[in-house]
């Protein structure tokens, strides 16, 4: 062995009988966790608009909900962020999804969509079954974020589609994030119940485990004036 070491040394090659530290390897718990994080973050980045790629869950209530959605999705329920335009609801919603992704969940798939775009996709089209396929996708995805729920004009069709979506997610205990300019309840003016209807409101009352009112001025206008 020493003769081999001398020969290698003459060639400028060092000999070390200690195994190289290559870090986590396939099969290690840490390796699998890192692979899950990498996969989830790629999915999150693909689903997130460029404006919100720096989003973080900075509010404690939002972070706590995201942690529950990561560790026990079936009991997480829904996160509802309410408040006027420009108070940071969408930023916090994408931040919550990012926090879940960074935790490396065993299963991670998400859809993040503005509610007006969702209703546009769900309207009947010339493609047979396309709207039903889309509704099935939104209903079953492990993590769903609906932005600006209540911004569209309500109708019987919207109430029915919204009911089918939330009824499935309610029955199957799937984590859902909702943002809305409408308050959850307001005796003196329009609220979310007026938009979604009593059937959906009843389910949301049980689904929502974290209600976070966002208060403040329109940050977009403030930045524009600066």
């Amino acid at each position: 062995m020493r003769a081999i070491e001398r020969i290698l040394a003459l060639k400028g090659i060092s000999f070390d009988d200690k195994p190289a530290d290559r870090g986590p390897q396939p099969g290690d718990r840490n390796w699998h966790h890192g692979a899950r994080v990498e996969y989830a973050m790629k999915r999150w980045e693909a689903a997130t608009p460029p404006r919100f790629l720096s989003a973080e869950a900075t509010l404690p209530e939002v972070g706590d909900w995201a942690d529950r959605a990561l560790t026990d999705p079936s009991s997480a329920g829904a996160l509802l962020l309410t408040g006027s335009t420009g108070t940071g609801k969408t930023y916090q919603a994408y931040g919550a999804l990012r926090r879940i992704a960074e935790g490396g969940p065993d299963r991670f798939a998400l859809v993040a969509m503005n509610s007006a775009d969702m209703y546009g996709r769900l309207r009947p089209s010339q493609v047979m079954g396309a709207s039903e396929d889309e509704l099935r996708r939104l209903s079953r995805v492990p993590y769903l974020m609906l932005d600006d729920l209540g911004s569209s004009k309500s109708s019987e069709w919207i109430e029915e589609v919204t009911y089918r979506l939330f009824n499935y997610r309610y029955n199957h205990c799937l984590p859902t994030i909702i943002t809305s300019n409408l308050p959850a309840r307001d005796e003196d003016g329009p609220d979310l119940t007026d938009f979604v209807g009593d059937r959906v409101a009843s389910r949301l009352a049980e689904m929502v485990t974290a209600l976070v009112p966002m208060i403040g001025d329109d940050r977009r206008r403030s930045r524009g004036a600066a």
Side-chain angles (χ1 to χ4, degrees), residues 39-156:
Y39 171 81
M41 284 302 297
K42 285 181 179 178
R43 296 293 295 267
W44 178 82
E45 289 170 0
T48 301
R51 186 170 297 278
F52 297 104
L53 286 174
S54 63
E56 295 181 3
T58 58
L59 297 178
E61 307 96 311
V62 176
D64 291 344
W65 182 89
D67 291 342
R68 292 197 302 274
L70 171 65
T71 58
D72 188 8
S74 63
S75 68
L79 166 65
L80 174 58
L81 297 148
T82 64
S84 57
T85 299
T87 52
K89 301 182 298 296
T90 306
Y91 180 92
Q92 292 294 326
Y94 278 108
L97 290 170
R98 177 180 192 154
R99 183 158 175 151
I100 295 169
E102 289 175 337
D106 292 333
R107 183 185 178 207
F108 189 75
L110 76 157
V111 172
M113 184 180 297
N114 184 280
S115 63
D117 292 334
M118 178 189 74
Y119 292 123
R121 292 190 181 193
L122 294 178
R123 291 193 181 280
S125 68
Q126 295 179 347
V127 181
M128 184 72 68
S131 58
E132 285 295 319
D133 289 343
E134 180 67 4
L135 180 57
R136 192 157 36 245
R137 181 177 79 100
L138 297 172
S139 298
R140 298 180 179 182
V141 69
Y143 297 96
L144 174 67
M145 191 272 273
L146 279 182
D147 200 23
D148 280 340
L149 185 64
S151 60
S152 303
K153 185 177 180 180
S154 186
S155 66
E156 289 186 6

Side-chain angles (χ1 to χ4, degrees), residues 79-83 89 149 178-187 189-198 200-202 204-205 208 210-214:
L79 166 65
L80 174 58
L81 297 148
T82 64
K89 301 182 298 296
L149 185 64
I178 306 161
T179 78
S180 180
N181 291 345
L182 296 173
R185 282 285 187 182
D186 189 345
E187 295 180 358
D191 57 29
L192 199 53
T193 299
D194 296 328
F195 176 78
V196 300
D198 290 336
V200 175
S202 174
L204 284 178
V208 173
L211 172 59
V212 184
M214 304 284 290

